[in-house]
């Protein structure tokens, strides 16, 4: 009879710990996690607007474990990301440095991503703003569609 009680309490304790762990994981996740976005335009505070010829060449994917996967024209990049409230930071950004064919937005895109401080997330739009709103990167959801 005492062994059954020990097993019961052991199972109950494991269940409580697992429940607490899963609840903590759910609370820490961001609505950005596992989403993919393509760049629609870059707006500067001076009023200049730049639009990529091929938005699918400028992707931002928010992966698990705070990892970001970035396509920047002919280059690929990675970073870590932190999102809390309206604050977003991309850190430890590393990129390949191929020379992309003009007119490429590679330099502007990467520079502004590195300086991102704020995020506004809508159902069909993601807006990233740099410090002092010097620039805004506007994205729409990206869904891969095979071309065969």
């Amino acid at each position: 009879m005492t062994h059954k009680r020990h097993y019961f309490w052991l199972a109950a304790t494991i269940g409580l710990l697992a429940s607490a762990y899963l609840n903590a994981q759910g609370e820490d996740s961001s609505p950005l996690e596992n989403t993919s976005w393509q760049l629609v335009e870059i707006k500067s505070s001076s009023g200049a607007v730049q639009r990529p010829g091929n938005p699918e060449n400028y992707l931002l994917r928010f992966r698990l474990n705070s990892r970001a996967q970035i396509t920047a024209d002919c280059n690929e990049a990675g970073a870590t990301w932190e999102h809390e409230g309206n604050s977003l930071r991309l850190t430890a950004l590393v990129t390949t440095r191929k020379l992309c064919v003009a007119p490429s937005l590679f330099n502007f895109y990467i520079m502004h991503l590195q300086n991102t401080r704020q995020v506004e997330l809508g159902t069909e739009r993601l807006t990233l703003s740099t410090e002092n709103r010097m620039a805004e990167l506007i994205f729409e959801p990206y869904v891969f569609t095979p071309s065969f």
Side-chain angles (χ1 to χ4, degrees):
M1 188 75 152
T2 59
H3 288 298
K4 287 183 183 178
R5 260 191 218 153
H6 290 299
Y7 288 125
F8 170 78
W9 288 113
L10 179 62
T13 302
I14 290 172
L16 285 172
L17 290 173
S19 175
Y21 174 78
L22 290 173
N23 286 337
Q25 293 297 309
E27 291 170 8
D28 290 344
S29 68
S30 164
L32 291 173
E33 199 169 75
N34 283 326
T35 61
S36 297
W37 303 88
Q38 65 184 11
L39 182 69
V40 176
E41 61 186 19
I42 299 173
K43 293 181 182 179
S44 75
S45 59
S46 68
V49 176
Q50 298 173 304
R51 292 183 181 90
N54 296 311
E56 65 275 3
N57 289 347
Y58 296 89
L59 302 178
L60 177 57
R61 298 176 181 104
F62 294 97
R63 299 295 186 214
L64 297 174
N65 301 319
S66 299
R67 301 293 307 156
Q69 181 182 359
I70 301 162
T71 301
D73 198 0
C74 68
N75 289 287
E76 296 294 325
T80 56
W81 60 278
E82 300 170 18
H83 175 223
E84 187 174 323
N86 289 335
S87 174
L88 176 72
R89 292 193 66 144
L90 294 165
T91 57
L93 195 142
V94 293
T95 180
T96 58
R97 299 293 293 173
K98 296 178 193 173
L99 182 59
C100 302
V101 177
S104 177
L105 298 178
F106 167 76
N107 288 325
F108 292 108
Y109 182 55
I110 292 297
M111 177 182 65
H112 294 317
L113 283 175
Q114 281 185 302
N115 293 315
T116 294
R117 297 298 178 263
Q118 293 183 321
V119 62
E120 293 175 35
L121 178 61
T123 55
E124 295 297 317
R125 186 155 284 217
L126 173 73
T127 303
L128 305 183
S129 302
T130 61
E131 248 177 329
N132 301 324
R133 292 198 173 275
M134 295 301 290
E136 288 185 338
L137 288 87
I138 300 167
F139 296 84
E140 63 184 22
Y142 171 75
V143 179
F144 174 75
T145 50
S147 60
F148 52 88

